[in-house]
Amino acid sequence: MSLTSTQMIQQLRADFEKLLGLVTGSQSQTVTLNQMERSLFRQVLRLGFKLLQLFVTTRVQAETHASQPGVGKTRLPYHSQKPIDYFSIFGKLSFARAYFYTAGQPGVCPLDQAMSLPQRCYSDLLMESTELLAVDSAYDKSLQVLARLLGLSVPELALETQVAEHSQTVKAFYRQRPKFLPTEKEHILVAQADGKGVPMVRRETLSPKARLSKGDKKTRIKETIAIAIYTIAPYRRTPQDVVNALFKKGIAPPQRPAPCHKQVFASLDGKDAAFKRLAAWVRRRAGSHIRTRGVDRRRGILAKAHARQTARVHFGAGHHPCG
């Protein structure tokens, strides 16, 4: 039997009192700081799960069962409580919300829109965390880190599908951004470009070769090009400043100017497309205040930081269960 919000609040208060007793009671005198930190982390996660559960329960209890607007001027009557799963950063939560339906029309759950539930069961915060971890490592490695930290098991296909869908919005995002209006006074314009070979995800053949022939490769590699542009003030140093930086430790060097209005972009569309975009950036920002132009191609530095964001190409998207 599910608990009411009042019962859940009482239980939460009891759990919090237990946490206070854990850190102030007699047993706290015999544990190390590391042991206490680890114990608190797990229990705070469990407390967060119960608080999220309380939030959802409160919203469900406040729902109205009055008929809802349907297609045209029709009304949809209350039908039942329809269950749904929500995989949060604290764990998987299951609840039932009001479902309105009549024959010949699609059913609706108003609470889904009111709470902005995701299309799939995985929360935005959970998927955002996994994507951030996956930027600098393989998908399976990032999910292992997540499982170790939070005790959550997220299917790799869920992460792959999410990244593939988000990648489709990149071009639209850049198209809807307002045109860049340079307002900086720095008169050095710097353009950067770098390339990085990244492994592509390939669909396995039905009959893989038992032995690779000459020229065959296990992994297909494609080059991604990262570009950047910014303006910067001159870095003025005396000869003595240079000597101090090279040979004398402990002497603070002059403060280096910071890049202004830096723009970065990486893609797998090839060098021609990348350089065309970079040239357009240069033309847009090459105003009368620019006195010096510089091109910087630092091998590996720029690409390693940004190319991994487009390091995988997905051939098709399968269905992944939320259960």
Side-chain angles (χ1 to χ4, degrees):
M1 183 178 66
S2 59
L3 300 177
T4 64
S5 58
T6 302
Q7 293 172 324
M8 294 175 69
I9 291 173
Q10 293 175 350
Q11 190 179 78
L12 280 164
R13 285 173 175 163
D15 291 341
F16 187 72
E17 290 296 330
K18 288 180 181 178
L19 282 178
L20 290 177
L22 177 67
V23 299
T24 61
S26 57
Q27 293 183 351
S28 64
Q29 305 301 316
T30 60
V31 300
T32 66
L33 185 60
N34 175 60
Q35 290 171 332
M36 179 59 69
E37 182 181 3
R38 292 176 183 273
S39 178
L40 283 175
F41 182 70
R42 292 300 175 191
Q43 295 195 54
V44 167
L45 285 177
R46 286 194 287 269
L47 193 64
F49 178 81
K50 291 183 178 180
L51 285 169
L52 190 64
Q53 197 172 35
L54 173 62
F55 169 76
V56 172
T57 300
T58 303
R59 294 294 296 269
V60 169
Q61 290 178 352
E63 272 195 292
T64 178
H65 288 179
S67 61
Q68 298 293 310
V71 178
K73 297 182 179 180
T74 61
R75 305 287 295 182
L76 299 177
Y78 171 76
H79 182 272
S80 60
Q81 292 295 113
K82 191 172 184 179
I84 190 173
D85 291 332
Y86 181 75
F87 206 152
S88 75
I89 199 77
F90 303 111
K92 187 164 71 173
L93 183 68
S94 299
F95 62 95
R97 74 276 198 227
Y99 176 65
F100 298 82
Y101 171 77
T102 189
Q105 293 194 31
V108 298
C109 294
L111 195 61
D112 291 5
Q113 183 176 1
M115 294 201 301
S116 189
L117 294 183
Q119 291 184 352
R120 281 180 288 276
C121 59
Y122 303 100
S123 78
D124 293 337
L125 178 58
L126 176 62
M127 297 314 298
E128 179 183 339
S129 302
T130 56
E131 288 177 11
L132 287 173
L133 289 170
V135 168
D136 290 317
S137 80
Y139 289 164
D140 57 341
K141 298 296 182 183
S142 65
L143 294 176
Q144 289 174 14
V145 173
L146 191 74
R148 182 169 181 176
L149 288 177
L150 303 178
L152 301 178
S153 178
V154 179
E156 185 173 343
L157 181 58
L159 177 56
E160 291 182 353
T161 305
Q162 187 85 356
V163 172
E165 290 180 350
H166 284 178
S167 67
Q168 302 304 314
T169 65
V170 171
K171 293 181 179 179
F173 169 76
Y174 279 98
R175 283 197 301 266
Q176 61 88 31
R177 291 184 67 183
K179 291 185 177 181
F180 183 81
L181 298 175
T183 58
E184 69 273 15
K185 298 180 181 179
E186 289 75 5
H187 56 77
I188 299 178
L189 179 64
V190 180
Q192 296 176 317
D194 203 350
K196 176 69 176 179
V198 294
M200 311 296 287
V201 176
R202 299 193 302 176
R203 179 177 295 171
E204 295 293 338
T205 58
L206 296 178
S207 55
K209 295 182 179 179
R211 190 172 183 177
L212 295 178
S213 305
K214 185 177 180 180
D216 290 342
K217 295 181 179 180
K218 293 183 179 180
T219 305
R220 179 186 170 196
I221 300 295
K222 189 173 182 179
E223 186 178 29
T224 183
I225 306 297
I227 59 174
I229 187 172
Y230 60 89
T231 56
I232 193 169
Y235 185 32
R236 304 186 186 281
R237 295 185 295 172
T238 65
Q240 188 60 46
D241 291 333
V242 177
V243 172
N244 293 342
L246 293 175
F247 303 107
K248 295 186 178 181
K249 303 297 183 181
I251 299 179
Q255 186 174 2
R256 185 182 293 271
C260 182
H261 296 162
K262 186 173 184 178
Q263 297 174 277
V264 180
F265 186 83
S267 73
L268 291 164
D269 295 334
K271 295 179 181 178
D272 291 343
F275 292 150
K276 183 178 180 180
R277 179 186 294 270
L278 184 58
W281 284 0
V282 171
R283 288 192 299 270
R284 188 160 63 241
R285 298 185 61 169
S288 58
H289 62 290
I290 298 298
R291 303 176 186 174
T292 306
R293 295 176 175 83
V295 177
D296 182 10
R297 191 186 186 281
R298 296 173 293 169
R299 180 175 177 81
I301 295 178
L302 186 63
K304 287 180 181 178
H306 302 283
R308 289 193 183 98
Q309 297 181 29
T310 54
R312 288 177 179 244
V313 170
H314 305 272
F315 296 90
H319 172 73
H320 51 82
C322 292

